[in-house]
Structures are given as structure tokens and as C-alpha cells.
Amino acid sequence: MKISATALALASLTGLCYSFTTTNTGSLKIRPASSTAILSATVEEAATYADPSRYLSDHPKNNVPPHIAALVGRGLHTRPDHPIGIIRAKIQEYFASLPNEYIVYDAEDPIVTTTQCFDDLRIAPDHPGRSPSDTYYLDDSTLLRTHTSAHQSEHLRSGVDCFLCAGDVYRRDEIDSSHYPAFHQLEAVKLFPKEDMAGADGLSGEDWENSAECKVIADDLKKTLEGLMDHLFGETEKKWSEDYFPFTTPSYELEIKYEGEWLEVLGCGVVHEEVLEMADRADRRGWAFGLGLERLAMILFEIPDIRLFWSDDDRFHSQFKEGQITKFKSYSKYPPVLKDIAFWIPEGFEENDFFELGRGIAGDLVERMELIDEFTNPKKGKTSKCYRITYRSMDRSLTNEEIDALQDELRERVLDLGVEVR
């Protein structure tokens, strides 16, 4: 049974959680996954996500800048005629055609705890992903989620066996055409019936990983995801390789061959026993996967710059319609303005802090920040780095005067990172 994009959009636009089932006649039945009272509260809570004041404070550990707070709550993944929303709806459509009933969550609060985002997923205390140079913290124990997996344990703990979870996530990162500090993910989890796993009762570690039951789960996962790729891209060649994630074992990476090139599309695996145990589901086994919606949308719609997804320009949005994948037609290519900056770096210098500073000063006028030269002076024992900054607007020509002003501000404020400008 296929669910129309219209039906999916109606469900997601409410900002609620729904499960999709079919009646005896094969027609679509959409029912809320929880009570009316709870759903009403969810709508009210979702409406508050777009309030920047939720994320900005004078707490000493708060490192959320205003330009990031302004992005939260835009809900691109729930817009039926936005490329991100179109891809999400197609993925949900595919899962609605499978035998299991998957509950859909797409209005989760982007503020999560360190326990949800890291501890419940076996992400070590010293993992670099926990660093303030990688993650936006509101205070010592709460942050903007870095992945939708931050909600996995709470949904497992609630007793749900199969679900999809989509939403916006936030990470400090490099600046180029394929990286942006806010993006969207979709993940899925499926637990298997106890009776199907009875032969592996009491097994753990390598004994579990080498069991026939673990292989059943891995095979089902691969079959499900190969079907998803065919649903999105048409029948295509696929390649699996082993990978590592702290929350799944064994873990895999899937690549597809698309227009003659091999593309990494997602990571996945069998849910780690300890993750299930911490979610009070130690008696169950299952799989999980996660993927980036921008990654798929950039490929399928041939969108060259990730900043475009956040544009308000009608020349972008008018090209897309609900349920349709159409190739993006570039409406302008304004010339770039290039500026270089070089400085001696202190011990412990973090590139992401510099990138975040540039983004905070120039916003989406920054197209790319790249290291073009690095050397160490043996006499001074200092290291110098030189970065080239590409400024380009998506909708107008930039003047040297306005970029000079931005570059001057960057040269002044970069001193706060302890560097010595050359």
C-alpha cells in the first residue's frame, strides 16, 4: 500500500506523531499515536521551537549564537513542497508500504540532554562530538541535538517497537557548499518479536554477533534499505562495507552507484545490547539507521549549495512541488569576493571556532572558508595558518566595500580566539 504525499503532508504539517495502517479494504487509515490531550500539547510545544529566546542566554556554557537560534523551528522537513520535505515524505511513503507499522515522529523538541544525545548511545565522555567546538550547548547538561538518535532511547523506553524520527539537527562544522551548521536527519528503528530471537536468549558480545538471529536482523536491515534506495533512486547498484558506531554492532555503511559515481548514503547497524538495556528493552533485539536528508536532496534535485535550502527566495521555492523530484535550475550565479586572513595560532586552536566566528559575522554570505597555507617557524616555535574566505550572495552582487567591512570585523574579533594576526 502506497500513501500519497498529500496524506503524509497532512500528517506531518500538524507537527504530530502518527502511525499509518490499512483497513481490510486496503484504504489508508491515519491514527494518532497518542491521546488527543497529548497531541494538543505537542502542537503548542512545537510552536515554541521558533522562539530564539529559548536558546540564547548568558549562561557561561551557552555557545549558541543568534544566527543559529534564528534557524531553529523552521520545520523545512514538514513542508510538503520543500525539497527536504519531499524527500522525507517519500521515505515515509516507502516505510508505510512495509508489513510493520512505523510510528512517525517529526516534532520533537530540538533541546535535549547530554544523557539523551550521548550517554544513552554509548558516546564516550571524551568523544570529540561532545566538545563545545562541535556542539551547541545551552548549559552544562542541555544542548541542541546533534542527531535525531538523541530521541531513540526515549521512544524505545515508551514501548514503541518500530518508528521513524525526523528533524533538524545542529553541529559546528566546516564551511563549504555541502556543510551547514543546521541540517536534517531521519532515522528508523525496528525491534523484532521476542519469539523470533528466542534462539539467541542469553547471548551477548561476539556470541550474539555471530548468531543466526543477529544475521537475520542484519539481512532484514540491508534488504529494507536496499528497497528504500530503489524507491528513491530507481534500481541501482549497491555496495555494503563494515563501519563503526558506538550505538550499533555490527555496523555498516551503504553506498549506491548513481550516474556513474559511488555515493555514501547512510550508516546503520544492529542496535547495541547496552543501548537497549539502558532503554529498558534488554529483552529485545533490532536494527537502526540514520541518514541526512540534505545529502539525498542535493543528489536527487541537483542542488549545488546547501545554503539554498534555507533561502526565502521564490525563485528557489517555486521550482518544487509536493511529491515530485525535479532538477533544480540555477537562477543566478553572482561573482564571488575572495579574502585571505593569516594568523599565528595558539595551542589548542579549534578550526570550528574560527568557522563559527566567520558565520556569525557574515551569515550566509560566507560560501567557503578553506585552509590554503600552513607552516611552522622553527625559530619561534609557532604555527601559522592562512585561510581563504569566499563570500558570495545567492541573490545579489556583493561590493568590495561591504566585504572589506566584514573582513575587518573578522580580523578584529578573531583575536578573541588567542591568535596573532599576521
Side-chain angles (χ1 to χ4, degrees):
M1 188 265 317
K2 297 289 185 182
I3 294 179
S4 71
T6 300
L8 288 166
L10 287 172
S12 65
L13 280 173
T14 60
L16 307 179
C17 159
Y18 285 86
S19 61
F20 298 84
T21 58
T22 53
T23 65
N24 292 333
T25 61
S27 61
L28 174 65
K29 180 181 180 182
I30 303 178
R31 63 174 178 80
S34 45
S35 71
T36 302
I38 293 176
L39 290 176
S40 298
T42 304
V43 172
E44 294 173 2
E45 290 167 4
T48 69
Y49 299 164
D51 178 7
S53 65
R54 295 186 78 222
Y55 317 106
L56 303 173
S57 76
D58 57 2
H59 190 282
K61 292 296 179 68
N62 187 298
N63 64 347
V64 180
H67 68 276
I68 294 298
L71 296 175
V72 185
R74 294 276 295 274
L76 304 187
H77 64 293
T78 63
R79 298 184 186 181
D81 55 357
H82 189 285
I84 301 298
I86 293 170
I87 296 298
R88 176 205 51 80
K90 285 190 171 292
I91 294 173
Q92 289 182 201
E93 179 184 64
Y94 168 74
F95 276 91
S97 73
L98 302 180
N100 292 84
E101 179 182 295
Y102 288 81
I103 292 178
V104 178
Y105 299 95
D106 62 5
E108 305 294 79
D109 194 332
I111 297 177
V112 297
T113 66
T114 53
T115 298
Q116 290 174 286
C117 202
F118 303 125
D119 299 330
D120 283 348
L121 298 169
R122 302 183 68 254
I123 296 175
D126 60 351
H127 192 282
R130 290 181 181 247
S131 166
S133 292
D134 281 32
T135 295
Y136 295 108
Y137 283 91
L138 278 69
D139 53 37
D140 297 86
S141 60
T142 60
L143 59 138
L144 289 176
R145 62 186 170 218
T146 62
H147 48 198
T148 50
S149 299
H151 302 288
Q152 182 182 118
S153 290
E154 64 186 277
H155 294 318
L156 287 173
R157 199 172 288 116
S158 74
V160 178
D161 289 347
C162 301
F163 63 87
L164 305 179
C165 183
D168 44 339
V169 300
Y170 301 85
R171 294 180 196 169
R172 288 179 159 217
D173 209 340
E174 59 190 292
I175 297 178
D176 58 33
S177 63
S178 61
H179 291 85
Y180 199 76
F183 54 104
H184 298 78
Q185 287 187 340
L186 182 145
E187 79 155 42
V189 170
K190 175 183 175 181
L191 298 186
F192 285 65
K194 291 182 183 180
E195 55 269 23
D196 292 356
M197 298 288 113
D201 284 351
L203 297 184
S204 62
E206 291 187 4
D207 290 337
W208 156 246
E209 293 178 34
N210 293 327
S211 70
E213 287 77 12
C214 185
K215 186 177 185 303
V216 166
I217 293 176
D219 288 347
D220 182 78
L221 169 63
K222 292 178 179 180
K223 179 181 177 182
T224 300
L225 293 177
E226 287 178 1
L228 175 60
M229 291 302 106
D230 288 343
H231 181 73
L232 294 173
F233 293 91
E235 290 193 16
T236 181
E237 191 175 349
K238 306 164 191 74
K239 181 167 60 177
W240 290 95
S241 58
E242 293 186 358
D243 208 329
Y244 169 79
F245 305 108
F247 31 82
T248 56
T249 183
S251 303
Y252 309 99
E253 178 184 79
L254 174 59
E255 296 177 70
I256 63 168
K257 198 168 189 178
Y258 184 69
E259 296 186 348
E261 294 186 21
W262 283 103
L263 305 173
E264 299 175 5
V265 287
L266 58 83
C268 61
V270 177
V271 181
H272 199 287
E273 301 163 80
E274 292 179 12
V275 170
L276 292 169
E277 183 177 351
M278 288 187 285
D280 301 324
R281 304 299 294 274
D283 60 334
R284 304 296 292 274
R285 312 278 191 171
W287 54 246
F289 78 84
L291 53 79
L293 294 175
E294 275 85 351
R295 168 76 168 155
L296 297 180
M298 290 182 80
I299 296 170
L300 288 167
F301 291 92
E302 296 184 5
I303 294 173
D305 194 310
I306 196 169
R307 294 176 297 168
L308 283 164
F309 292 118
W310 298 88
S311 170
D312 292 323
D313 196 315
D314 189 58
R315 291 174 295 177
F316 177 76
H317 293 284
S318 64
Q319 297 189 36
F320 309 108
K321 294 183 179 180
E322 178 183 350
Q324 299 180 21
I325 293 179
T326 54
K327 305 303 181 185
F328 170 69
K329 293 185 176 71
S330 181
Y331 47 82
S332 63
K333 189 67 172 179
Y334 292 97
V337 179
L338 306 179
K339 298 290 181 179
D340 294 347
I341 182 172
F343 43 74
W344 300 105
I345 64 171
E347 185 176 353
F349 172 76
E350 292 283 354
E351 273 193 329
N352 281 353
D353 293 339
F354 174 57
F355 297 151
E356 188 66 36
L357 182 63
R359 182 86 74 181
I361 292 171
D364 284 355
L365 294 183
V366 180
E367 179 177 271
R368 184 179 179 88
M369 297 177 74
E370 59 182 323
L371 181 67
I372 60 172
D373 186 51
E374 179 177 4
F375 74 92
T376 299
N377 185 315
K379 293 183 179 180
K380 295 184 177 182
K382 292 183 176 181
T383 297
S384 171
K385 291 191 174 188
C386 180
Y387 291 87
R388 175 156 296 158
I389 304 173
T390 302
Y391 297 92
R392 191 199 308 263
S393 171
M394 308 300 291
D395 53 19
R396 64 184 178 87
S397 292
L398 301 174
T399 65
N400 276 316
E401 289 75 19
E402 66 178 312
I403 299 306
D404 284 343
L406 294 174
Q407 190 74 1
D408 287 344
E409 183 178 354
L410 179 62
R411 290 176 66 86
E412 291 179 11
R413 292 179 57 186
V414 76
L415 299 177
D416 295 338
L417 301 181
V419 308
E420 181 183 341
V421 178
R422 296 175 56 209

